[in-house]
Amino acid sequence: MNNAPIRRVVTGHDASGRAIIQEDGTVPRIQKIGGDTGPMFYEVWNTRATPAPIDPASGEPPEEGIILAPPKNGTRIRVLDIPPDDPSFAEMTPEEARAHFAEIGAADASSFEGKESRHAHMHRTETVDYGIVIEGELVLIMDEGETTVRAGDIVVQRGTNHGWANRTDRNCRIAFILIDGEFSEELKG
């Protein structure tokens, strides 16, 4: 599995208003979710408002741990290393799936109902997400249908119930930009 660190370069302004490199290093928050079989989360940045305030030199708004959804009215960018699906997924219970999502503050996002569900990690969030496959491939599983995405492909995920399956024998690295959203009346569950 490629676990190469994710480098984060943050720009800002000096006291004279000139553009500067404010930070250059590895992302500060990294966490494996779901035990040995789960993905590695690399949290890159979040914003707390739209439009996002741009000031001379503030840093990323502070957060505790890893949280699945972006802040209300905000955004989030993260990179995930998703290992190959584990055989244990076939025996996972809905409670175990919810516990995995609870690790990232989103137990209610899990839509896994057991064997009748299409994947153990099926979930839905009230967000628009742009997923950009960097390395490897994943199968995007929907309520109806699925498609394989590979390095260079971009998925626009619009608040739909979905899961990601890695049916290969190697890691997949994917970047996500998450934008807070709001379901229309006909989609509210």
Side-chain angles (χ1 to χ4, degrees):
M1 177 187 288
N2 175 10
N3 283 0
I6 303 294
R7 179 179 175 203
R8 180 177 83 171
V9 178
V10 180
T11 65
H13 299 87
D14 67 14
S16 300
R18 292 184 307 249
I20 61 167
I21 303 295
Q22 184 176 320
E23 287 181 43
D24 187 344
T26 58
V27 297
R29 291 184 297 135
I30 301 169
Q31 184 176 337
K32 189 157 189 69
I33 303 297
D36 292 338
T37 64
M40 182 72 77
F41 280 64
Y42 301 88
E43 294 298 280
V44 180
W45 195 264
N46 77 83
T47 64
R48 304 257 166 200
T50 301
I54 300 171
D55 62 14
S58 67
E60 178 186 18
E63 283 188 320
E64 292 294 322
I66 305 293
I67 301 168
L68 180 62
K72 188 71 178 159
N73 298 318
T75 65
R76 176 177 314 288
I77 182 170
R78 75 168 40 106
V79 174
L80 285 171
D81 282 336
I82 301 176
D85 279 10
D86 191 88
S88 67
F89 292 177
E91 302 304 319
M92 188 175 285
T93 67
E95 295 75 25
E96 289 169 324
R98 287 180 57 81
H100 287 297
F101 280 93
E103 290 182 52
I104 49 178
D108 292 341
S110 177
S111 59
F112 180 64
E113 297 176 352
K115 300 226 183 268
E116 58 274 0
S117 292
R118 299 200 65 209
H119 193 274
H121 294 149
M122 294 293 286
H123 65 286
R124 182 179 185 211
T125 57
E126 200 166 357
T127 60
V128 173
D129 306 338
Y130 306 135
I132 305 159
V133 182
I134 298 170
E135 173 186 320
E137 71 179 45
L138 290 171
V139 177
L140 171 59
I141 303 169
M142 308 300 293
D143 289 335
E144 297 292 330
E146 61 183 51
T147 191
T148 300
V149 292
R150 295 175 179 85
D153 292 343
I154 300 170
V155 175
V156 179
Q157 181 65 253
R158 300 178 53 242
T160 54
N161 189 44
H162 68 286
W164 297 102
N166 185 342
R167 297 177 181 159
T168 73
D169 61 355
R170 50 187 272 253
N171 184 61
C172 178
R173 179 167 275 187
I174 185 169
F176 285 102
I177 296 93
L178 300 90
I179 303 165
D180 184 40
E182 187 173 331
F183 290 132
S184 65
E185 286 302 318
E186 61 265 46
L187 291 179
K188 289 184 180 180

